Amino acid sequence: MKQQIFERIRSLGQLSRIEVAKDLGVSAGSVTTLTSELLQDGYLEETRSAPRDVTRGRPKVALQVRRSAGYVAGIKISNEAHTAVVVDFAGRPVGEARLSAEQGAGTLEGLLDAAQKIFAMAVADAGLARGDVSAVGVGLPGMVDHASGIWLWSPLLNERRIPIRDLLTERVGLPVQIDNDVNLLTLAELWYGAGRSVSDFAVVTIEQGVGMGLVLGHNLYRGAHGFGMELGHVKVQLDGALCRCGRRGCLEAYIADYALVREAHVALGLVNRPTGASSSVLLESLYDQAKAGNEAARTIFRRAARFLALTLANVVNLFDPPLIILSGERMRYDYLYEDDTLEEAKTMTLDKGRPDTRIEIHAWGDWVWARGAATLALSALTDARLAGEAA
Ligand SMILES: [Zn+2]
């Protein structure tokens, strides 16, 4: 119960004891006892918030997390740029860093070096010493077994089954937790975003690949082995286009960056004159062409949007979530979620009078992923500290 009280206050920022008791259905007496322990241990502090009714005299006393009670770092490893944040005990960012992924790309050593470097940069940016930070969370693309700490499959390296958690722990000298990057984005939504108000929701991301995160009953669902939620490899076509996973007909092969780039070469007339441009540059120019009315470019985006509609409908038909959050870099491209796409998704879901699933678009940048990684570390740290005491 103590942990629940703490999480409630952290999630809402400031709460009075009476509000805590009401929200969690606990007696005022227990709340007073447990919060005084949290105050004594330095996890919470009192604050005088503005009175709701000035004629009633004394300002109300609220509780909030004591921000300096601990710090953790979150790192997102990616194929373009790595990002890192340091957050305080309330989960608020106090330092950040960004590092191009080019250096040391393609090798495990290079990746470990980069993680170590960006961690140090973020800690320095926060004005802290390494000893002030208690734990690190790391978000990785590909297939990650959170429980065993093994990176099963990575789009960045050729090695398989890398014991990355232990390797990173050795490098940074702190306890490390790892998870799939989309799970961590989902965790950020659960803690700080739209997910705070619902017990079940799905997150669908479109970036280099297509990912999905799922929250059931306020908890992240990970599957048994770290291979779940691979929405990008759900088959949408028998014997279809070749996917980077080696199979055919996966959603990613129709909608991910590399799939669009493959078609962009044709649409932009680049087949016989390779430009050497990065996929993001090519996609930007394809998008500009589509907006300017280039029919071939428009068709490529339109087709990707139809596959997205099909995907959303499948998620709704399978899980019936009250909310789907669409996230990721590509959400800047409005074709993906224009009314046509959402309408089309609706025509493929069972209607029979079911209420529409709310679909929200969050075109957040890299930082939210790193913040999700920090959340993983913070959650583990909080559990360890609070569970270590009498419940
Ligand atoms: Zn695939």
Side-chain angles (χ1 to χ4, degrees), residues 259-273 282 286 294 296-297 300:
L260 297 196
V261 164
R262 196 156 57 187
E263 302 215 327
H265 276 98
V266 184
L268 301 176
L270 303 173
V271 175
N272 294 319
R273 44 185 185 95
L282 266 175
L286 187 70
N294 178 327
I300 291 173

Side-chain angles (χ1 to χ4, degrees), residues 277-357:
S278 74
S279 66
S280 52
V281 169
L282 266 175
L283 269 187
E284 278 302 328
S285 106
L286 187 70
Y287 186 54
D288 290 343
Q289 290 279 330
K291 275 195 297 192
N294 178 327
E295 208 37 56
R298 288 176 71 93
T299 306
I300 291 173
F301 283 116
R302 186 73 206 106
R303 183 161 174 264
R306 295 191 68 205
F307 275 106
L308 176 67
L310 170 79
T311 305
L312 293 176
N314 287 345
V315 171
V316 171
N317 287 333
L318 276 172
F319 298 106
D320 184 27
L323 168 69
I324 296 179
I325 298 165
L326 284 175
S327 194
E329 276 279 293
R330 198 93 76 68
M331 289 306 147
R332 290 183 294 118
Y333 299 159
D334 50 8
Y335 74 93
L336 276 175
Y337 51 88
E338 58 196 15
D339 291 348
D340 284 1
T341 307
L342 301 184
E343 250 338 287
E344 193 153 12
K346 231 196 248 180
T347 66
M348 289 184 276
T349 51
L350 297 167
D351 57 3
K352 310 282 181 262
R354 75 185 299 285
D356 283 348
T357 294

Side-chain angles (χ1 to χ4, degrees), residues 232-233 243 245 250:
H233 303 281
C243 176
C245 74
C250 299

Side-chain angles (χ1 to χ4, degrees), residues 128-145:
L128 297 169
R130 208 187 66 165
D132 298 328
V133 179
S134 301
V136 183
V138 181
L140 301 163
M143 292 168 193
V144 179
D145 189 344

Side-chain angles (χ1 to χ4, degrees), residues 232-235 243-248 250-253 258:
H233 303 281
V234 164
K235 306 298 175 275
C243 176
R244 60 180 177 161
C245 74
R247 307 281 194 216
R248 287 190 175 273
C250 299
L251 174 69
E252 265 190 30
Y258 71 89

Side-chain angles (χ1 to χ4, degrees), residues 60-239:
K60 204 158 56 76
V61 174
L63 298 167
Q64 66 184 16
V65 171
R66 198 170 69 87
R67 299 180 60 174
S68 59
Y71 299 91
V72 299
I75 301 173
K76 188 210 178 189
I77 298 293
S78 153
N79 68 331
E80 290 202 350
H82 310 308
T83 43
V85 294
V86 173
V87 304
D88 62 26
F89 212 59
R92 286 182 232 194
V94 293
E96 59 185 40
R98 187 183 184 86
L99 186 65
S100 160
E102 279 166 24
Q103 268 181 308
T107 70
L108 179 56
E109 273 310 299
L111 206 73
L112 293 170
D113 287 345
Q116 193 175 5
K117 186 169 172 188
I118 197 171
F119 169 72
M121 286 162 67
V123 172
D125 187 58
L128 297 169
R130 208 187 66 165
D132 298 328
V133 179
S134 301
V136 183
V138 181
L140 301 163
M143 292 168 193
V144 179
D145 189 344
H146 162 74
S148 66
I150 308 283
W151 200 1
L152 301 163
W153 179 85
S154 155
L156 307 180
L157 300 170
N158 292 323
E159 289 100 322
R160 298 286 175 261
R161 304 193 61 82
I162 303 167
I164 190 89
R165 183 186 60 199
D166 295 347
L167 293 171
L168 286 166
T169 300
E170 215 170 273
R171 281 301 185 101
V172 297
L174 290 170
V176 172
Q177 300 263 332
I178 62 163
D179 209 337
N180 168 269
D181 50 9
V182 181
N183 279 349
L184 296 181
L185 179 72
T186 307
L187 207 55
E189 288 285 1
L190 177 65
W191 277 45
Y192 313 107
R196 283 194 310 191
S197 56
V198 288
S199 62
D200 310 279
F201 66 94
V203 173
V204 172
T205 62
I206 308 178
E207 296 215 319
Q208 298 299 319
V210 180
M212 178 175 166
L214 186 65
V215 167
L216 298 175
H218 299 288
N219 282 305
L220 194 59
Y221 177 78
R222 287 189 171 100
H225 312 101
F227 285 98
M229 302 296 111
E230 287 296 334
L231 192 62
H233 303 281
V234 164
K235 306 298 175 275
V236 294
Q237 181 79 56
L238 276 174
D239 301 327

